Amino acid sequence: MLFDMDGTLVDSEKVWSVGLTELATHYGGVLSAQARHAMVGSNMTDSMRLLHADLGLPASVSTDASVGWLEARVKELFHGGIEWRPGAKELLAALRSEGVPLALVTATHRHLVDVALLTIGADNFDAVVAGDEVDRTKPHPMPYLTAARLVGATAAQCVAVEDSPNGVLSARAAGCAVLAVPCEVALDPTGVTLVDSLLDVDVAYLRKLIA
């Protein structure tokens, strides 16, 4: 089982929204809803390019500086604790009790993931693939191919649980069965199993997806 983090296991997209709103204010602007929507599931560099374009910032403003500002603020917010998505904590516990290998696959950078794991529990996962630990990030298949290898499986033997369009594209391209659970944005049901909530999912349900 391969799980995305932000918006899938924890309700951290709202935390990112706080940080992004504050960053836009820092630059004297207001982030549009359209730009924020486009950032969901995107890597940090692309998100900052979207923010800079949305705010009309000059080329002299470094995206690296924006990344540093945002990650520092989000780390502070993560330390305050992150809310679980409905059913996520219980599903992880059920999978662990059944001995199912689990990996966390996220576009978020490792130093932030380590803080989030204080809430999620590092011992819930046999492997973690963070956004700065692979050469290509979602929607490229590399993150999910890497995670499958780390848990000793092929991607075709794994179910990937995702909440974002980029995450779904990544998992599908890797060859995983995909359980799509929308959070902040709607998802295309093509080629995935779409559910409203992880409350609707148990271990037997997940096993049927790769049977």
Side-chain angles (χ1 to χ4, degrees):
M1 282 296 306
L2 313 177
F3 282 92
D4 172 57
M5 186 178 79
D6 297 297
T8 299
L9 289 177
V10 288
D11 209 6
S12 48
E13 288 294 353
K14 291 182 175 60
V15 177
W16 283 104
S17 290
V18 170
L20 287 161
T21 298
E22 292 180 357
L23 178 57
T25 300
H26 171 73
Y27 284 129
V30 177
L31 183 67
S32 71
Q34 293 85 354
R36 177 65 187 107
H37 184 280
M39 292 176 188
V40 175
S42 181
N43 65 60
M44 185 63 69
T45 299
D46 287 345
S47 290
M48 291 304 93
R49 287 172 180 158
L50 285 165
L51 183 141
H52 282 214
D54 190 53
L55 298 180
L57 298 179
S60 59
V61 179
S62 165
T63 54
D64 288 343
S66 296
V67 169
W69 195 102
L70 178 61
E71 289 193 337
R73 179 62 178 129
V74 169
K75 182 177 281 191
E76 291 177 356
L77 295 169
F78 274 14
H79 272 296
I82 315 169
E83 291 187 12
W84 286 90
R85 292 287 294 152
K89 185 176 184 178
E90 295 79 8
L91 182 58
L92 281 184
L95 288 163
R96 291 309 276 175
S97 70
E98 294 278 341
V100 177
L102 301 178
L104 188 67
V105 189
T106 176
T108 299
H109 288 181
R110 184 62 189 235
H111 71 106
L112 291 173
V113 175
D114 286 341
V115 178
L117 285 170
L118 297 176
T119 294
I120 305 170
D123 56 352
N124 279 324
F125 302 98
D126 301 288
V128 174
V129 178
D132 53 346
E133 295 176 333
V134 286
D135 293 332
R136 301 288 298 273
T137 58
K138 304 174 187 180
H140 194 276
M142 184 177 288
Y144 278 104
L145 291 171
T146 301
R149 175 177 54 80
L150 290 174
V151 297
T154 65
Q157 295 172 311
C158 298
V159 177
V161 186
E162 271 285 354
D163 76 300
S164 75
N166 275 347
V168 168
L169 288 171
S170 174
R172 287 192 65 196
C176 301
V178 180
L179 181 70
V181 191
C183 179
E184 298 292 329
V185 299
L187 297 177
D188 184 346
T190 305
V192 306
T193 299
L194 190 65
V195 296
D196 292 331
S197 168
L198 289 179
L199 291 169
D200 302 326
V201 177
D202 59 16
V203 177
Y205 184 100
L206 292 170
R207 283 183 169 145
K208 289 178 182 177
L209 298 182
I210 52 174

